[in-house]
Amino acid sequence: MEYTLNSGAGGFDFSRYNAYIESIKSSLPGHVYAFASDPSYFSLDSHSSLHDAWLEELTVREFASGERKQIRQLEIKLCLLGPYHDRRIHLNYSGVTQYSFLTPPRYDEPRFKHTAHGDLLAHEIRLGHNGLLLHELQFERGSSLLIECRDIRHSEELNTTNP
């Protein structure tokens, strides 16, 4: 996390990130700027926030086209259970050029035997190589997902099975 992590206080501070997003506004597609700058996707009390959401599904797919299906592109889809468990948040990444998902072992911490990645703590969108987009997500366990891509699409659906 380049802008949201406040290493001095040991927490997250979104003021630097908000300033950064404003500084790159003209370089972002309108829908990506709308997502990256909307406080409801970061707020601790928003039902649409990614903060405290849980990863339910991560899909990496090679999309093929061309006569022999020889033109191959990566796409990634994330499904997160919203922080109030009343919706699913979908993030679709197309034109993926690189990605990494690092999850450290937590052998000596019993809670991570049943917590998996834990809550999503923070995320930020940045400009990547040659105008590509970077989306970094940091989870409670210390897991970090980084995706560089051409486009990011966000959608939500209400969870009709919420107890």
Side-chain angles (χ1 to χ4, degrees), residues 1-159:
M1 295 283 166
E2 290 185 24
Y3 295 94
T4 57
L5 186 60
N6 182 349
S7 57
F12 295 96
D13 175 9
F14 292 97
S15 59
R16 286 187 332 128
Y17 175 70
N18 293 334
Y20 171 72
I21 289 299
E22 289 305 313
S23 77
I24 64 168
K25 178 179 181 177
S26 64
S27 300
L28 297 175
H31 64 277
V32 174
Y33 171 77
F35 173 70
S37 64
D38 189 331
S40 68
Y41 301 126
F42 299 89
S43 173
L44 300 180
D45 59 355
S46 170
H47 286 251
S48 294
S49 181
L50 274 62
H51 178 78
D52 285 344
W54 293 343
L55 178 63
E56 285 197 323
E57 189 172 337
L58 168 85
T59 304
V60 178
R61 179 174 169 246
E62 284 197 28
F63 177 79
S65 62
E67 185 178 306
R68 297 179 300 111
K69 304 291 186 198
Q70 77 278 14
I71 302 168
R72 318 240 351 139
Q73 294 186 355
L74 287 172
E75 63 182 23
I76 294 177
K77 295 183 178 189
L78 290 182
C79 178
L80 301 164
L81 181 62
Y84 292 88
H85 302 182
D86 62 346
R87 67 195 63 221
R88 287 196 166 68
I89 301 165
H90 300 278
L91 296 167
N92 297 318
Y93 305 87
S94 59
V96 174
T97 55
Q98 70 166 314
Y99 67 95
S100 64
F101 198 179
L102 300 173
T103 299
R106 304 296 283 262
Y107 302 119
D108 297 328
E109 297 178 54
R111 71 180 299 305
F112 288 110
K113 289 181 181 175
H114 62 84
T115 304
H117 298 103
D119 293 351
L120 195 156
L121 298 176
H123 69 102
E124 61 183 37
I125 291 176
R126 303 187 301 268
L127 286 180
H129 181 75
N130 287 340
L132 293 171
L133 304 168
L134 283 171
H135 195 193
E136 185 174 7
L137 300 97
Q138 184 74 42
F139 292 86
E140 175 185 8
R141 182 189 185 106
S143 302
S144 178
L145 175 59
L146 179 67
I147 300 170
E148 183 180 54
C149 61
R150 188 179 63 253
D151 196 17
I152 302 169
R153 296 286 177 167
H154 163 268
S155 63
E156 297 179 24
E157 67 177 321
L158 291 179
N159 182 5

